[in-house]
Amino acid sequence: MTTQDRIAKLRQNRVVALTAYDYPTARILDEAGIDLILVGDSLGMVFAGNPDTTSVTMDQMIYHTTVVRRGVRQALLVSDLPYHSYDSTREAVTNAQRLVNAGAEAVKLEGGLAVIEKVRAVLASGIQVAGHIGMLPQSLHREGSYKKKGKTDQEAAMLLEDARVLEEAGVFAIVLESIVPEVASEITRALNIPTIGIGAGSGCTGEIAVVHDLAGFYPWFKPPFAKPRACFADDLHRAALAYAAAVRAPGETTVP
Ligand code: KIV
């Protein structure tokens, strides 16, 4: 299957998307039939333990894209352009190409109208792009806190405008993060490309989650919309306790 086939397939059903940052996770998700795997810059938080995503570098994204690539056979592999890696159109194109060289089939960058020239330049270079609007983690310092978007008519209209210009530019999908559900549904109805929601209600064309939120593997920060379906943190804690008890047991020479 080509990248174009995988993108076309996203339009056929609800899009199931998850993040991955390492080989085993990527391979397990790919074998589970996940449609889109994102090497998200959320790795700065849930993999590296930083308070937000703004310190993630291109070198880190390249490394994680390379290892995730090894585990992905059927899913569309998308990588994030991290903060400050697309300050100019030239940087956007150069860095998007570096992610593609590392194995990404498409890149994602945050923003609508504000970044449209960069989006157009990356697309013109022949690289597929996913948009990302709503609450933008890379803008956290400017915004002060994580805020739901689309609460006022003006904000809703701006989001719709952002989505429209991104679609016109040629992005293949748009992530809608932390947007009032009615506004996310309205944006979805207005577009012909898939919307992939996270904290944006059930009216999007698909859904994306951070894999650590799904797996219950980052118990120290849980976004309000996270729905854990496993409890890896507790399982690993229990396994570590059992291992420690076995190693420390008096008279034990080998771990049972
Ligand atoms: O970095 C990331 O994981 C993301 C998702 C939250 C969409 O951008």
Side-chain angles (χ1 to χ4, degrees):
M1 240 205 256
T2 64
T3 298
Q4 281 305 341
D5 294 335
R6 278 189 266 275
I7 286 175
K9 211 172 135 220
L10 296 182
R11 289 173 176 244
Q12 286 162 16
N13 289 303
R14 278 180 65 75
V15 180
V16 183
L18 280 167
T19 65
Y21 319 107
D22 60 75
Y23 171 82
T25 306
R27 187 163 172 178
I28 289 165
L29 301 186
D30 193 64
E31 288 174 359
I34 298 304
D35 302 311
L36 184 158
I37 294 180
L38 172 71
V39 183
D41 62 356
S42 48
L43 65 83
M45 298 173 76
V46 298
F47 177 86
N50 291 306
D52 57 63
T53 63
T54 58
S55 61
V56 175
T57 64
M58 267 307 295
D59 285 348
Q60 290 165 355
M61 292 307 300
I62 287 169
Y63 174 72
H64 286 278
T65 299
T66 307
V67 299
V68 166
R69 174 75 275 166
R70 286 188 205 117
V72 175
R73 296 236 160 129
Q74 59 82 30
L76 182 74
L77 178 50
V78 183
S79 289
D80 268 342
L81 278 166
Y83 191 44
H84 282 321
S85 70
Y86 49 102
D87 287 349
S88 67
T89 49
R90 218 177 79 187
E91 282 173 295
V93 173
T94 305
N95 286 322
Q97 188 60 56
R98 292 173 73 199
L99 292 175
V100 168
N101 295 346
E105 295 176 272
V107 299
K108 173 167 80 56
L109 61 159
E110 295 186 6
L113 255 180
V115 295
I116 202 67
E117 290 312 323
K118 287 124 190 190
V119 169
R120 288 197 185 115
V122 176
L123 286 163
S125 77
I127 297 172
Q128 296 286 346
V129 176
H132 184 161
I133 62 172
M135 202 287 292
L136 303 177
Q138 292 176 10
S139 305
L140 178 67
H141 294 176
R142 201 175 57 228
E143 300 247 326
S145 63
Y146 295 110
K147 290 187 195 97
K148 195 112 196 143
K149 294 293 172 156
K151 286 188 178 163
T152 63
D153 288 352
Q154 194 197 10
E155 217 172 63
M158 277 163 58
L159 288 167
L160 188 56
E161 175 68 358
D162 280 338
R164 285 210 165 108
V165 293
L166 284 168
E167 179 177 45
E168 274 164 30
V171 304
F172 70 86
I174 306 179
V175 169
L176 305 185
E177 178 161 1
S178 233
I179 292 180
V180 171
E182 297 70 40
V183 177
S185 298
E186 192 191 337
I187 293 171
T188 303
R189 283 193 299 272
L191 302 183
N192 293 308
I193 52 171
T195 57
I196 308 178
I198 174 163
S202 54
C204 298
T205 324
E207 190 74 14
I208 185 159
V210 169
V211 73
H212 287 56
D213 293 340
L214 176 78
F217 202 26
Y218 199 79
W220 310 283
F221 175 72
K222 281 188 215 155
F225 47 77
K227 289 199 185 72
R229 290 171 198 268
C231 209
F232 281 25
D234 287 355
D235 283 352
L236 186 54
H237 186 82
R238 263 194 301 275
L241 289 179
Y243 171 73
V247 173
R248 289 177 187 139
E252 289 288 341
T253 50
T254 54
V255 177

